Amino acid sequence: MRAMLAIEDKRPPDEGNSALVGGLNLSRDQIVEQLEILRDRLNEIEGALIELESTLGALEAA
């Protein structure tokens, strides 16, 4: 995540519409974009967890 934020930090933030996040000055748009990326990844991780738990349950039942 920090690498993604570092890349995002290279874009100039909107004047007066930025905040310090993890030591990086990000614009509102950059923050929104990072949230979308992380939420997508969270959904992927949650899906993988469900699949792994289901597989483990099936193996234990066998």
Side-chain angles (χ1 to χ4, degrees):
M1 179 178 155
R2 192 168 261 323
M4 290 187 312
L5 291 174
I7 291 168
E8 291 299 313
D9 192 45
K10 291 184 185 348
R11 281 197 253 160
D14 299 337
E15 288 297 319
N17 193 20
S18 64
L20 197 60
V21 179
L24 301 170
N25 193 24
L26 300 177
S27 71
R28 182 186 186 287
D29 290 342
Q30 291 169 321
I31 294 168
V32 168
E33 183 179 355
Q34 290 302 315
L35 280 171
E36 290 173 2
I37 291 169
L38 291 173
R39 285 183 179 130
D40 286 344
R41 289 191 175 170
L42 179 59
N43 288 335
E44 292 174 16
I45 291 168
E46 288 173 340
L49 285 171
I50 290 168
E51 185 176 345
L52 288 169
E53 289 169 347
S54 174
T55 302
L56 183 59
L59 288 172
E60 289 174 352

